[in-house]
Amino acid sequence: HLFIAIALLSTPSSFIEIKNIINRYREQRIVILDPVQREAAEWVKSNTPVSAVFLPSMTLLDKAPIVQDPIIFASGRRATSAYKVLIFTHGIDSFERREAIASFYQDPSKKDLLNSFPADYLIADDILRINYPDLEIKLARAGHVVVFDKAPIRIFQLKK
């Protein structure tokens, strides 16, 4: 019975990924990591604990072409959250977590907000820069250290 329950609960994400695979096939495109994403994923695998949790820009998106951030996926680490539709289809109310993340993005010096959601590292990319143009400056001023930096990816350590 446990197997049946697990299979039923994982069905929505399976359908989403199958739909994405079919769409990518029709559009003749495949999600492949670019060289910087591969390098970042390798750095994450080599320099962070397996239990590390990453805060990706994907948490900002209503829809995404993929289910998870490619760096997190390729490194085998966990994400704080995925895009809204994926979370919703799993019946998870992420409103409070998303509000806490948005508050942290507005003022990363409020480190107590990090207790509201799991995140050891933050992946800054172009999506994040578009939505929060001065976030990286605020993160640095708040004492969050850059641990990986190769344009366009920058990874900040949020917790020690």
Side-chain angles (χ1 to χ4, degrees):
H1 294 111
L2 179 61
F3 176 75
I4 294 171
I6 291 171
L8 289 174
L9 291 173
S10 66
T11 301
S13 55
S14 299
F15 286 130
I16 290 171
E17 191 54 26
I18 289 168
K19 176 187 165 288
N20 288 339
I21 289 168
I22 292 169
N23 287 341
R24 285 192 297 270
Y25 177 77
R26 285 183 188 149
E27 296 169 6
Q28 296 183 342
R29 67 181 180 90
I30 300 172
V31 176
I32 298 176
L33 278 66
D34 66 38
V36 176
Q37 290 172 324
R38 280 196 306 272
E39 187 176 336
E42 287 301 319
W43 183 92
V44 167
K45 284 195 285 191
S46 300
N47 295 284
T48 66
V50 175
S51 60
V53 181
F54 286 77
L55 179 57
S57 60
M58 183 116 4
T59 59
L60 302 169
L61 304 177
D62 291 328
K63 293 182 181 180
I66 55 176
V67 172
Q68 191 51 270
D69 181 277
I71 296 168
I72 296 170
F73 180 77
S75 67
R77 299 304 190 262
R78 295 181 303 143
T80 301
S81 187
Y83 68 97
K84 289 180 195 178
V85 173
L86 178 69
I87 298 296
F88 179 78
T89 60
H90 283 77
I92 299 169
D93 182 3
S94 63
F95 179 77
E96 288 180 16
R97 178 176 286 187
R98 295 173 66 75
E99 288 295 309
I101 292 169
S103 295
F104 177 74
Y105 285 165
Q106 293 298 325
D107 187 359
S109 67
K110 294 182 179 177
K111 295 182 182 182
D112 60 313
L113 287 168
L114 291 173
N115 297 327
S116 303
F117 54 89
D120 302 302
Y121 298 89
L122 178 142
I123 299 175
D125 59 13
D126 291 337
I127 295 169
L128 197 61
R129 289 181 190 105
I130 289 167
N131 289 280
Y132 296 91
D134 49 344
L135 176 61
E136 292 173 272
I137 294 167
K138 291 177 180 180
L139 285 164
R141 286 185 186 150
H144 300 290
V145 179
V146 175
V147 293
F148 178 87
D149 189 2
K150 187 160 188 180
I153 306 296
R154 187 174 286 150
I155 300 176
F156 286 84
Q157 185 172 6
L158 301 178
K159 296 178 183 174
K160 294 186 181 196

